[in-house]
Amino acid sequence: MSTMFKYRVHEVAKDFKVPTKQITEILTKYATAPKNHMQVLTVEELDIIFEYLTINNQIESIEEIYAVSAPPQTAPTAAKQDAPKEEAPAAVAGATIDPKAAPKSEETPAPAAKKPDDKPFVARKAPEKRLVDTSGATINIDKYDERLDKLVPERAENMKRGKQKITKKPHNQRPSIASGAKRRQEERDRMNRLQLEVAKKAQLKVQIPDEISVGELASRMKKTGAEVVRQLVKMGVMASLSDIIDHDTAALVAIELGCKVEREIVVTIEERLIDDSEDKAEDLVPRAPVVVVMGHVDHGKTSLLDRIRQESVATGEAGGITQHIGAYQVHVKGNPITFLDTPGHEAFTAMRARGALVTDIAILIVAADDGIMPQTIESINHAKAANIPIIVAINKMDVSGANPEKIKQQLTEHGLVSEEWGGETIVCPISAKTGEGIENLLEMIILTAEMAELRANPNRKAKGTVIEARLDKGRGPLMTVLVQNGTLNTGDTIIAGTAVGHVRVMMTEKGERINSAGPSVPVEIAGMSEVPNAGDTFNVVTDERMARELTAQRKSEKKASQSTSVKVSLEDLFARIQEGELKDLNIIVKADVQGSAEAIKASLEKLTNEEVRVRVIHSGVGAISESDVMLASTSGAIIVGFNVRPEMNARDSAQRSNVDMRMYRVIYECINEIEAAMKGMLAPKFREVVYGHAEVRQLFKASAVGTICGCYVLDGKILRNSSARLVRDGIVVHEGELASLRRFKDDVKEVATNYECGIAFEKYNDIKEGDIIECFAMEQIPV
């Protein structure tokens, strides 16, 4: 802050009658040492000097300030001597004044008028009054009459003499309207001039945000754009009125132009809508710990959860491998614990990282007969990055060849030293198959949670993380969320990423409906406007209109960040890379659940090299729609489908637009095929040929055969000896062979479009009405 006037060091010393050196020493001791005695002092430095001199020069009593020296004793005598002199002229009536006497009295001063030399200050004495008696003087009156006659003009002489007639104006007579308006206008002009003078003297305050345009800055400072641009040029910045400058540059310009700068705090919609205030200590209550189970593929993560929950989850997974993330809550000796089960193979690194970021404790599963694997190392890094405690569970202790000491040795290479070896990492040998060591592991989890003192505030709006999200044909968008703070109630308005909606239904992992969920409780929510991204943070808000504005803003920002490129297919990918035409490989990923889509996206983007950059411009869940094909056509992208099938309109549109669509059931086939195409090693020998589609309209149960589907052929034809896949809501449920194909009671080889037929799958009976049966075959491509 700068002062309105320049008050220098030597001036302060002169006013206080102290040496300049003393002022310099005060500033050196309590502020910053001045460069010289001509330095201009700030208000803060002046306050320091005033306060120091006030404290160190205190007086004993307030009376010393107002005390005045007593007048000398000769003063009354002088007054007495003056009194007769004043009365003497009045006593002599008609006497003539002696002109020599008056100067004599003036030349003789009173002896009391002298100031004593020993007094620093004496009040000034009032001057004496002289009385002159003019009663005896002779005055020539005619001389003054003659001069008065000469001064009076002739016009005054010719004026009519007499009494002046004064007339009163009537009370009801008003001044003219014109004179009143003129008077008011003059008053306004005078006030405007006063305000202008005050504005010139007062320093203008300007609020400047982090970034501001030159024109806006000039408007806020009430200056012309030319003045601001001229000042920027002096500073070495070449900018026009539409250019954006940062806060520091704008602040320097404003200060140079005589303005006072204040930083403008811009409150966004997100800041107004979402409450991120910290909780008070008295509002926090203990909460259940959130435990993530991490590790390499097929090391027994889901089997451990099966043993804890006494359920069978692993049998329902494809190939016994967890493909999606799951959240479960169990009670161990009266203490609730929330478990997150994450996939273990390399493609699901993103899902595993998301699981670590929302949890309090990480259980690292290591197979006793397999040891530390690359995905185990990644799990350790994720847990360390999240700064959460790690409990190592050495599984499969019942298998022959188990060597827990080898595992402990390998753990030390990654910074995890067992407590038995003097470290801080808890290591529990267990067997998920036999139940050995499970109780000890649970006790260690509860003990670690107690040491962490996990707390949350249930009496506030809920906030948490989206664990998983998917699209259900009957129920719409569904998402599994973990409430981290607050309480989530049915009917709340929530926003998650670009999705907003109401909590219509809340269900636990067992399918039970609940009305509220507190901290550390995983629930499945229905009622969102669209499928959010896994890993998004959700918040409960009160203003739905503002929430929709925020989602629209996020969508526009996401759309603006996307760019388009030329079309490409895997067949000519390597050739176009060699020609230098392709710099970006755009891919659209559609999967059955959000976690799979995110994992495929992360795996494909890792294939980026110096010649080509892999960019996933869009990823989502559900069947491949016509809008996906349109986006791929305009951006020149390849569509990758994982456990999903394209809609009929999308398939026709892709053929017309020559959009390359690739469908996969195993994620490694997708990654390897695109990587081989980028390296020029892609040589596909087979391609998929779709024969036709049939809709399941009625089901029949037969004890000997199983489930028989009454179908209607929608397009193409259904062949008995071909392969078939069962598609439900655009997601592939089963893929296998047809057991039989009949028309009425006869076995037939094929059924054409618009005909009904009966179809039975080979060793599969989980079929529902409305499912689509797609008949296809793998055809060899001639070389």
Side-chain angles (χ1 to χ4, degrees), residues 208 211-219 221 223-257:
I208 302 177
E211 291 182 347
I212 189 172
S213 64
V214 177
E216 178 65 19
L217 178 62
S219 176
M221 292 192 302
K223 303 287 184 181
T224 62
E227 291 179 301
V228 179
V229 172
R230 193 180 303 115
Q231 187 62 40
L232 286 171
V233 172
K234 290 180 181 178
M235 297 169 55
V237 179
M238 305 300 296
S240 61
L241 293 179
S242 59
D243 290 343
I244 304 296
I245 58 178
D246 58 4
H247 175 269
D248 296 337
T249 305
L252 290 175
V253 173
I255 292 173
E256 290 295 332
L257 294 178

Side-chain angles (χ1 to χ4, degrees), residues 332-504:
V332 179
K333 296 181 180 180
N335 298 318
I337 301 176
T338 301
F339 285 94
L340 294 183
D341 181 21
T342 59
H345 49 79
E346 183 183 3
F348 290 86
T349 301
M351 296 175 66
R352 198 161 59 246
R354 184 174 66 252
L357 289 175
V358 298
T359 53
D360 307 309
I361 303 172
I363 297 180
L364 183 66
I365 299 293
V366 184
D369 59 341
D370 203 0
I372 303 293
M373 302 299 288
Q375 286 71 43
T376 311
I377 299 173
E378 290 184 6
S379 300
I380 295 173
N381 295 333
H382 286 308
K384 286 183 177 180
N387 196 20
I388 58 176
I390 301 174
I391 300 176
V392 179
I394 303 177
N395 194 21
K396 300 185 180 180
M397 290 297 295
D398 57 320
V399 179
S400 59
N403 189 0
E405 298 301 323
K406 178 184 176 182
I407 304 299
K408 295 178 183 178
Q409 176 63 34
Q410 292 177 345
L411 290 172
T412 57
E413 299 175 1
H414 303 284
L416 300 178
V417 182
S418 172
E419 289 182 335
E420 300 175 359
W421 292 6
E424 298 179 354
T425 304
I426 300 174
V427 179
C428 300
I430 64 169
S431 174
K433 186 175 182 180
T434 62
E436 175 190 352
I438 300 296
E439 293 293 331
N440 182 36
L441 177 63
L442 296 177
E443 290 178 2
M444 292 297 103
I445 294 174
I446 296 174
L447 178 61
T448 306
E450 291 177 355
M451 295 293 293
E453 296 182 355
L454 305 173
R455 294 178 175 272
N457 180 15
N459 301 318
R460 64 174 297 171
K461 297 176 184 177
K463 177 184 178 181
T465 304
V466 179
I467 301 299
E468 190 55 85
R470 60 190 176 90
L471 183 64
D472 188 89
K473 185 175 182 180
R475 302 172 60 191
L478 300 176
M479 66 177 185
T480 302
V481 301
L482 177 67
V483 182
Q484 294 175 291
N485 201 10
T487 301
L488 182 64
N489 299 309
T490 304
D492 287 345
T493 303
I494 58 177
I495 178 173
T498 58
V500 65
H502 297 275
V503 182
R504 304 194 185 278

